[in-house]
Amino acid sequence: VKTIDAKDPYTNGHSIRVAEYTRMLAEQAYTDSDELHNIYNIALLHDIGKIGIPDNIINKPGKLTDEEFKVIKGHTLTGAKILSEIKSAPELIYGAKYHHERYDGNGYNEGLKGKEIPLAARIICVADSYDTMSSKRVYKELHEENYILSELDRCSGKQFDPAIVPFMIEMIKDGTAPLPRPDYKS
């Protein structure tokens, strides 16, 4: 995880925050402590494939070209390939490979929809999107709470599993997933 953070200073801490949010969201769906431990690790490694993305693309301060976006999308398959080597934990690939699938089937790489997407990846998708919206990046400023809440609601059933979104909204509202202050540095 520190290798990913070193590659992209703007996402420093992203994987750990996503893993924490994912664990908290998963507590709503799982009762088995082993499952909670597994989903934390799955989320922690969801962006491992970014180590294969060239620095000039990952750190680009503007809109990506179609070709650059195609390269970025490849991080899901690169991550799954890396994690597939860990034979003792085959479920680790779920986060890396499927966290950009969309509940409505319009995601990538396989176009899975609804419950075809592993639950861990559906939860990571919500946690990952929340952290991205609530963090400053090289290509964008952080978003306000009202915007984030409206995006979660608007994308429920489209990008996000509608069974997970209410838990994320509750975590934001009760401060469990606090929004950073305007002077926050990722």
Side-chain angles (χ1 to χ4, degrees), residues 57 60 62-74:
I57 294 176
K60 184 176 179 178
K63 185 171 171 49
L64 297 175
T65 66
D66 290 344
E67 187 59 36
E68 290 166 335
F69 186 60
K70 184 178 176 184
V71 171
I72 287 280
K73 287 174 30 175

Side-chain angles (χ1 to χ4, degrees), residues 43-181:
L44 194 62
L45 297 169
H46 78 282
D47 272 343
I48 191 78
K50 285 187 176 178
I51 64 173
I53 305 298
D55 290 344
N56 66 315
I57 294 176
I58 209 149
N59 293 314
K60 184 176 179 178
K63 185 171 171 49
L64 297 175
T65 66
D66 290 344
E67 187 59 36
E68 290 166 335
F69 186 60
K70 184 178 176 184
V71 171
I72 287 280
K73 287 174 30 175
H75 84 280
T76 58
L77 297 177
T78 300
K81 183 176 179 183
I82 291 166
L83 296 172
S84 71
E85 299 297 319
I86 305 173
K87 303 299 183 201
S88 62
E91 69 280 356
L92 286 177
I93 70 164
Y94 296 159
K97 189 172 185 180
Y98 301 118
H99 73 281
H100 284 292
E101 294 290 350
R102 291 174 46 119
Y103 198 77
D104 63 7
N106 290 315
Y108 60 88
N109 286 305
E110 295 180 20
L112 300 179
K113 67 192 272 188
K115 305 236 184 223
E116 295 171 348
I117 306 164
L119 179 59
R122 286 182 273 143
I123 295 171
I124 292 166
C125 179
V126 173
D128 182 49
S129 295
Y130 167 72
D131 190 68
T132 299
M133 287 187 283
S134 65
S135 301
K136 181 178 173 152
R137 298 288 178 93
V138 67
Y139 55 87
K140 72 161 201 67
E141 294 296 319
L142 60 89
H143 294 290
E144 301 277 330
E145 180 175 345
N146 287 339
Y147 174 84
I148 294 169
L149 292 170
S150 70
E151 280 300 289
L152 288 168
D153 185 56
R154 185 181 69 78
C155 296
S156 181
K158 296 174 186 137
Q159 181 176 354
F160 308 129
D161 182 333
I164 305 300
V165 170
F167 299 122
M168 188 75 244
I169 289 172
E170 184 59 33
M171 286 169 49
I172 295 166
K173 288 183 175 180
D174 72 12
T176 307
L179 290 165
R181 297 183 324 273

Side-chain angles (χ1 to χ4, degrees), residues 23-37:
R23 182 191 51 76
M24 289 186 278
L25 289 167
E27 286 174 348
Q28 308 298 325
Y30 295 123
T31 55
D32 184 329
S33 63
D34 287 340
E35 291 292 338
L36 288 173
H37 179 72

